[in-house]
Every structure is written in structure tokens, then in C-alpha cells.
């Protein structure tokens, strides 16, 4: 049986754009519920400035309150050395850095050029190597940019290769504004896989136009075996107006289960978690599978 690694990004990427500020203990409960459902890699928080992302202001408290479980990873986002140091002091053992394939988006999202972003997290790689901490990389706007339009696959490949050369064990390609289709995802993967080993590529798709799960399927057919997703379809980006949430983890698990692919996730418990967090945030459940299973149970 084939297997796929799921990186659950709900507690970080999912919550960061929500207007409702979730209490710290509720964030910890969300992570615990996700772990109870069988997820083994849960992005816990982001060590960014609270000025830019108020939802993540309690990052250190979240990490300190987590009940660590054997075999589980709780990666966190660390945009610079200060964020990295605070994260490690709070107990983080896996970190991630992020940049963009679009200059305009990089300046809006991280207040720097792409080149400056690499200079900013170079000390993070140095410190992580010394500490023995793995570093993951994110590339935003891998399909298109809200300011520049379509992004050439070769530009994405260039940034992805630099991340791997800098020390990333894996690079997640993000369709930040959710405009991708299989027809645009395939050329992207071909370009990146030409310069980065396929086993080090992850897919991070948003569902703005309802194409997220179709893009996952296309990427799986290409050979990608790592996907980011967010419980309940939570997500969005404060610097990409109109972009909706990530591919819902429930939808992803349903697709993979139907194909006989092992995820280790209990779909019923996952849907319960999706319903719960949606209620906490006062928003409707976004995932199609979650809604369908709710209706079937009614």
C-alpha cells in the first residue's frame, strides 16, 4: 500500500487569517484533537511579530503548553534568527522558513525582496545546523501572484533549488491564491523536479476556485507524496485578498483513502475536529467531505 505524509497546517496557516483571536488553550486543544485523529505532523504556530500576525502572538505559550507525544512533529515558522531562537527556547524541534517566487508578494508578505529573504534566514540555517534541527522551506505564489499575475515555473524552480541548497530537507510549493489547475500544476512540478529531488517536494494548495483537491490528485499522479492541508479548510492570506483556505484535511484524507493510500488518520475523528474548530471560530464548516458526512449522519 502506498503512503502519503500529511503536514497539518491548520493551527498556523489556518488560523493566521481568522478575525477571531482563539485563546491559547483552545489552540493547544486543537493540536491535541488533530493528534487524536491520527495526524503526526502538525504545524503548531509561527514565531513572527505579533504586529504583523496578531493571531500568533502567543506562539511561545502554545509551544510550552503542548503535551508532546512520541513520534509527533510540531514544526513552527521562523522568519529570522530572533524568531528561531525564541522558538527553540520554547521547545521547537522542527522549523520552517518561507519566501516567495514573486518579488511583489515577498515585499508585501515579508517586507523584503526575495534576495533579502535569503539573507535574513541564512543565520537560521547556520543555527539549525549547529543545533541539529531540520528546516523546511515554503515558496509562496508558486502558480500566480495577486500583484504580478502568473509566475513562471522556472522562477519557482530557481527559488526552490536555492532553499534546498541552503539546507532545507523539503520544499513546499504554495498556490497561495488558489488559482491553480492541474494544467498549471504539472508544468510547475516538471520545472521544480528538474532541479530538486521529487521526494523533497511537497504540495500546498488553496481552494479559492475549488481546484485544490484536483491539484492534489494531479501532483500525486506526478509522484509527490507530501501534502499540506488544513483541518476544516481553514486558511487564507492577509496579503492575498480573496484567497480562501487551504485544501481541507478531511477532503485530502477522503481522496487518499478511496485510492487505498495509507494516511493513518481517522476520518470521523478528523471531521469532529473540523466541526469543533469551525464552531470555535463562529464560521461554517468549509470542507465538502465534512459537510457530506454531517448530512449523512443527520
Amino acid at each position: 500500500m502506498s503512503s502519503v505524509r500529511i503536514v497539518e497546517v491548520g493551527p498556523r496557516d489556518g488560523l493566521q487569517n481568522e478575525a477571531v483571536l482563539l485563546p491559547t488553550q483552545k489552540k493547544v486543544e486543537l493540536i491535541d484533537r488533530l493528534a487524536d485523529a491520527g495526524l503526526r505532523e502538525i504545524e503548531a504556530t509561527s514565531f513572527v511579530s505579533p504586529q504583523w500576525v496578531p493571531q500568533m502572538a502567543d506562539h511561545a505559550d502554545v509551544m510550552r503548553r503542548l503535551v508532546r507525544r512520541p513520534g509527533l512533529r510540531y514544526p513552527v515558522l521562523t522568519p529570522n534568527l530572533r524568531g528561531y531562537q525564541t522558538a527553540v527556547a520554547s521547545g521547537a524541534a522542527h522549523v520552517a522558513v518561507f519566501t516567495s517566487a514573486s518579488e511583489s508578494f515577498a515585499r508585501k508578505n515579508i517586507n523584503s525582496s526575495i534576495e533579502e529573504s535569503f539573507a535574513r534566514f541564512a543565520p537560521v540555517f547556520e543555527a539549525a545546523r549547529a543545533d541539529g534541527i531540520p528546516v523546511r522551506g515554503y515558496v509562496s505564489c508558486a502558480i500566480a501572484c495577486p500583484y504580478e499575475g502568473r509566475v513562471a515555473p522556472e522562477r519557482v524552480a530557481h527559488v526552490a533549488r536555492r532553499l534546498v541548497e541552503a539546507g532545507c530537507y523539503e520544499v513546499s510549493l504554495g498556490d497561495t491564491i488558489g488559482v491553480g489547475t492541474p494544467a498549471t500544476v504539472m508544468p510547475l512540478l516538471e520545472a521544480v523536479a528538474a532541479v530538486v529531488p521529487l521526494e523533497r517536494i511537497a504540495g500546498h494548495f488553496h481552494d479559492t476556485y475549488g481546484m485544490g483537491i484536483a491539484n492534489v490528485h494531479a501532483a500525486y499522479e506526478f509522484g509527490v507524496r507530501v501534502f499540506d492541508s488544513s483541518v476544516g479548510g481553514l486558511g487564507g492570506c492577509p496579503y492575498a485578498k480573496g484567497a480562501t483556505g487551504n485544501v481541507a484535511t478531511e477532503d485530502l484524507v477522503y481522496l487518499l483513502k478511496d485510492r487505498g493510500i495509507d494516511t493513518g488518520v481517522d476520518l470521523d475523528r478528523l471531521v469532529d475536529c473540523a466541526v469543533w474548530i469551525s464552531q470555535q471560530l463562529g464560521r461554517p464548516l468549509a470542507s465538502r467531505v465534512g459537510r457530506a458526512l454531517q448530512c449523512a449522519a443527520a
Side-chain angles (χ1 to χ4, degrees):
M1 180 182 288
S2 300
S3 64
V4 164
R5 201 174 101 244
I6 296 175
V7 180
E8 170 60 54
V9 299
R12 194 278 301 177
D13 197 21
L15 293 180
Q16 70 176 5
N17 201 41
E18 292 291 330
V20 176
L21 294 180
L22 202 65
T24 302
Q25 194 51 45
K26 292 291 185 182
K27 293 176 183 175
V28 173
E29 183 176 352
L30 170 61
I31 294 168
D32 284 340
R33 284 172 177 260
L34 290 166
D36 288 342
L39 288 152
R40 290 295 173 261
E41 193 159 352
I42 305 168
E43 196 173 56
T45 188
S46 176
F47 283 78
V48 296
S49 169
Q51 176 185 350
W52 299 108
V53 188
Q55 185 74 260
M56 300 290 113
D58 59 351
H59 42 224
D61 286 340
V62 168
M63 292 304 292
R64 292 192 185 104
R65 294 190 196 186
L66 277 180
V67 177
R68 309 305 170 95
R69 307 189 192 194
L72 266 67
R73 288 184 174 187
Y74 303 98
V76 300
L77 223 56
T78 54
N80 51 40
L81 182 59
R82 181 178 179 181
Y84 171 86
Q85 291 170 334
T86 305
V88 172
S90 304
H94 298 82
V95 303
V97 297
F98 55 96
T99 187
S100 175
S102 158
E103 285 289 353
S104 298
F105 191 81
R107 293 190 181 279
K108 291 281 187 178
N109 189 38
I110 56 178
N111 197 32
S112 71
S113 68
I114 296 172
E115 194 62 38
E116 288 167 344
S117 73
F118 275 91
R120 182 181 294 173
F121 51 61
V124 174
F125 284 109
E126 184 178 355
R129 279 193 292 270
D131 296 336
I133 289 182
V135 182
R136 193 177 198 238
Y138 284 98
V139 183
S140 300
C141 297
I143 297 289
C145 167
Y147 311 105
E148 298 180 10
R150 292 291 178 185
V151 175
E154 293 73 23
R155 286 171 59 187
V156 185
H158 175 71
V159 173
R161 180 176 64 184
R162 288 190 65 184
L163 283 169
V164 170
E165 290 173 348
C168 287
Y169 68 88
E170 182 174 275
V171 177
S172 177
L173 306 177
D175 179 15
T176 308
I177 58 176
V179 298
T181 66
T184 52
V185 167
M186 296 303 276
L188 165 69
L189 294 176
E190 288 169 357
V192 177
V195 295
V196 173
L198 186 56
E199 63 272 16
R200 298 175 75 169
I201 298 172
H204 183 113
F205 301 109
H206 284 236
D207 213 25
T208 309
Y209 289 88
M211 290 287 105
I213 205 69
N215 292 334
V216 167
H217 187 266
Y220 180 84
E221 289 294 306
F222 187 84
V224 175
R225 293 295 181 267
V226 184
F227 295 99
D228 300 350
S229 61
S230 177
V231 62
L234 301 180
C237 178
Y239 303 100
K241 186 177 181 181
T244 57
N246 298 269
V247 164
T249 309
E250 309 90 88
D251 294 356
L252 174 60
V253 170
Y254 182 83
L255 170 71
L256 297 174
K257 182 179 180 182
D258 187 63
R259 292 201 53 162
I261 300 164
D262 179 33
T263 64
V265 178
D266 184 317
L267 184 57
D268 290 332
R269 297 190 78 168
L270 181 61
V271 170
D272 288 343
C273 180
V275 171
W276 175 81
I277 189 58
S278 297
Q279 291 171 342
Q280 301 304 308
L281 296 169
R283 58 172 285 170
L285 180 60
S287 68
R288 295 171 179 82
V289 168
R291 293 196 302 269
L293 290 179
Q294 275 190 306
C295 290

